[in-house]
Amino acid sequence: MTKEKEEHREDPMQIDSNRVPTGSLLTDYLRIYYGKFFPYTDMFKWLAYGNDGKHPGCDSSYFGRREFSFTIKSDRDEVYLRFQSFFNASEMETSIKAKCPTKIDIGAVYTVDPAKRHAYAQSGFNPIERELVFDIDISDYDDVRYCCSGADTCLNCWPLMTIAIKVIDTALREDFGFSHILWVYSGRRGVHCWVCDSRARRLSKEQRSAIADYFHVYKGGENSLKKVTFAGPLHPFLARAYTDVLKNEFEKWVSTQKLFEHEERFHKILQLIPDESVVSELAEKWQGNSVRWEHLKHMLQSGSKKTQGLRRCIEEIVFSYTYPRLDIQVTKGMNHLLKAPFCVHPGTGRICIPIDPKKCEEFDPTSVPTVAQLIEELNANASIGADNYVEKTSLAASVHLFRTCFLEPLIKTCKDELENAYNTKIQQTKDSLNW
């Protein structure tokens, strides 16, 4: 038996997998998690984008110019360490294990090493690459969900995140031509999207803003009652989203949230109809009527009611309740930080695992592995080898998904791009010499 296995057998930690660790217990759990589970090599391969020193066309400084940020909590305070940087995977692993951050955020790639930014003039330190990212929190839907609020989620309201993944992922692939897209569960109340194509990483701030505006339908301030308005025919992207996703999902939402079974809830929907005579007529007919949604659709879509002001009313209601609500500032900026995949959420203990967009409707946030659960599984398999910790736990499927569906296709594309760029440069050099 190896020394490492003996040490593991001698000091099994007593685990309550239903308990969310805090304080020093969280630190102890994180020390084990970062020591045995966190996929350092995979994270390095991802964020290096082929610049691993194995090809003559590599940029050996690339990974070292990426900003990482650590959040470190104690019982009394919280410390944020920004502009952390690492030359390679080994440096990153050593630092994370030493600091045991409660959260790891990933930032942009800068012109110079972020840790040495003070050695350069302000104009010499700028972000030059950043994944196109999207941040969607279910708490932004609190005005249309009645089962939960704030950071709380359940299987009745989680479909809002499934809808967001379906709508945005389809548009990114079909409308913008992106291929390498990573969806990640935030650990509690939302999802994050990383678009990692080289073309996406090199978008300017103006281009990112244009893409954010493309998706931005839900508008208006807190005091604005109506936040979705369509003056004319739907844009093809919105028409596709409505037909393929939103229309059917809203029908389910009506049932799970009981939108037409409680007066205060269906009156909220009536307020989205601009014609007071129609509202009054509906309110009167709905007394004692249990098929209110079907009645509303029939009334607004009938020939006599198809006025210009009501033409898009059904679509506006559906979009108001189900269309993705983005934090567009996160998408527009290059220097916004976003939580790294495979972090442990300190509030829930859940791992921020990838989500397969092709099977996103199968994702269950309540069954996501927790750090306590992983350690319990580790103790139950104390005889496994040092290289196989993940394989015998419930994290294995998520790491496999990350590697096979996202990382491997991405790295192949990156290697091909490096090779093509290198060959082009060599040919240009030959041409200049021949001239």
Side-chain angles (χ1 to χ4, degrees):
M1 184 181 293
T2 66
K3 181 179 179 182
E4 187 168 1
K5 288 181 183 178
E6 288 175 353
E7 289 175 351
H8 180 62
R9 279 183 178 275
E10 291 171 3
D11 187 27
M13 180 178 284
Q14 297 301 313
I15 301 298
D16 179 358
S17 59
N18 295 317
R19 178 183 177 185
V20 178
T22 58
S24 60
L25 181 61
L26 175 60
T27 301
D28 290 339
Y29 281 19
L30 287 174
R31 187 172 290 112
I32 297 173
Y33 178 76
Y34 288 133
K36 301 184 183 297
F37 295 105
F38 192 77
Y40 297 99
T41 301
D42 292 325
M43 294 292 285
F44 172 77
K45 287 181 179 178
W46 166 32
L47 297 172
Y49 291 106
N51 293 291
D52 54 9
K54 297 179 182 179
H55 189 281
C58 288
D59 178 356
S60 59
S61 72
Y62 184 88
F63 184 77
R65 290 184 283 115
R66 167 81 69 169
E67 179 193 0
F68 292 84
S69 173
F70 294 163
T71 302
I72 301 175
K73 279 186 178 181
S74 67
D75 291 332
R76 288 180 289 182
D77 55 17
E78 188 172 72
V79 178
Y80 299 95
L81 301 178
R82 285 204 62 180
F83 301 111
Q84 306 294 295
S85 62
F86 314 105
F87 180 71
N88 53 32
S90 178
E91 275 193 11
M92 176 177 65
E93 180 174 354
T94 299
S95 180
I96 291 175
K97 286 181 176 179
K99 294 181 174 68
C100 279
T102 51
K103 188 171 75 160
I104 303 171
D105 287 305
I106 300 173
V109 176
Y110 286 83
T111 48
V112 296
D113 181 346
K116 301 175 181 177
R117 65 195 181 282
H118 296 304
Y120 299 86
Q122 186 174 358
S123 60
F125 178 69
N126 297 296
I128 55 172
E129 273 197 28
R130 173 66 162 134
E131 293 79 8
L132 178 66
V133 294
F134 297 86
D135 182 8
I136 308 162
D137 285 341
I138 205 165
S139 55
D140 290 332
Y141 296 78
D142 278 358
D143 62 316
V144 296
R145 62 179 184 140
Y146 298 95
C147 51
C148 303
S149 63
D152 294 332
T153 61
C154 70
L155 295 182
N156 283 334
C157 58
W158 186 258
L160 290 169
M161 297 296 96
T162 302
I163 293 168
I165 294 173
K166 288 182 176 181
V167 170
I168 296 173
D169 190 80
T170 298
L172 288 172
R173 297 178 192 276
E174 296 188 10
D175 300 347
F176 293 96
F178 296 127
S179 302
H180 303 293
I181 302 170
L182 174 66
W183 287 94
V184 182
Y185 172 51
S186 71
R188 170 174 268 178
R189 61 181 178 182
V191 293
H192 298 155
C193 176
W194 303 74
V195 187
C196 302
D197 301 58
S198 58
R199 183 165 53 89
R201 303 196 311 269
R202 293 163 187 162
L203 291 170
S204 67
K205 185 176 180 180
E206 292 73 22
Q207 290 169 327
R208 292 167 195 268
S209 295
I211 292 176
D213 289 339
Y214 182 84
F215 288 104
H216 193 38
V217 171
Y218 187 83
K219 304 175 182 179
E222 293 182 3
N223 298 323
S224 175
L225 180 63
K226 192 172 184 180
K227 296 184 172 67
V228 176
T229 301
F230 297 129
L234 293 179
H235 184 281
F237 152 59
L238 298 179
R240 180 185 63 217
Y242 179 76
T243 302
D244 294 351
V245 182
L246 303 184
K247 184 178 179 181
N248 290 335
E249 290 296 336
F250 183 76
E251 299 287 344
K252 300 175 188 176
W253 193 251
V254 166
S255 175
T256 58
Q257 299 297 313
K258 299 178 171 50
L259 295 185
F260 291 91
E261 295 179 29
H262 300 275
E263 186 173 352
E264 72 278 7
R265 297 182 190 180
F266 66 68
H267 269 294
K268 195 171 185 178
I269 293 177
L270 288 177
Q271 290 176 323
L272 300 178
I273 301 173
D275 191 317
E276 292 185 5
S277 64
V278 173
V279 172
S280 298
E281 184 178 347
L282 283 170
E284 181 180 346
K285 290 185 176 181
W286 281 1
Q287 298 300 320
N289 190 336
S290 61
V291 288
R292 293 171 178 138
W293 172 235
E294 294 301 323
H295 186 228
L296 185 152
K297 287 191 294 183
H298 175 74
M299 187 169 185
L300 293 184
Q301 293 174 341
S302 66
S304 61
K305 298 298 180 184
K306 280 190 175 181
T307 62
Q308 181 66 30
L310 299 178
R311 188 168 296 167
R312 308 247 70 97
C313 203
I314 293 295
E315 287 94 335
E316 290 173 351
I317 292 171
V318 171
F319 273 81
S320 295
Y321 277 75
T322 59
Y323 184 80
R325 302 183 181 186
L326 309 176
D327 184 342
I328 62 170
Q329 296 307 318
V330 172
T331 302
K332 289 182 176 181
M334 288 188 71
N335 55 356
H336 270 282
L337 300 171
L338 195 62
K339 188 190 307 176
F342 296 104
C343 276
V344 177
H345 193 289
T348 63
R350 292 174 184 159
I351 313 301
C352 301
I353 61 172
I355 300 173
D356 185 350
K358 295 179 181 178
K359 301 178 180 179
C360 57
E361 66 279 351
E362 300 176 10
F363 181 79
D364 179 358
T366 64
S367 66
V368 170
T370 66
V371 63
Q373 177 184 340
L374 294 178
I375 297 172
E376 187 176 51
E377 293 168 354
L378 182 66
N379 287 338
N381 293 278
S383 62
I384 61 179
D387 295 331
N388 300 314
Y389 291 127
V390 172
E391 294 180 12
K392 298 297 183 180
T393 69
S394 51
L395 189 62
S398 297
V399 174
H400 179 74
L401 173 65
F402 181 80
R403 289 173 180 167
T404 58
C405 295
F406 169 71
L407 184 59
E408 290 172 5
L410 172 66
I411 296 306
K412 182 182 185 304
T413 297
C414 291
K415 293 291 187 182
D416 289 344
E417 290 175 347
L418 280 172
E419 179 70 17
N420 292 335
Y422 179 73
N423 289 338
T424 299
K425 185 177 180 180
I426 293 297
Q427 188 59 49
Q428 289 174 343
T429 301
K430 289 180 179 179
D431 292 343
S432 64
L433 291 174
N434 290 335
W435 184 85

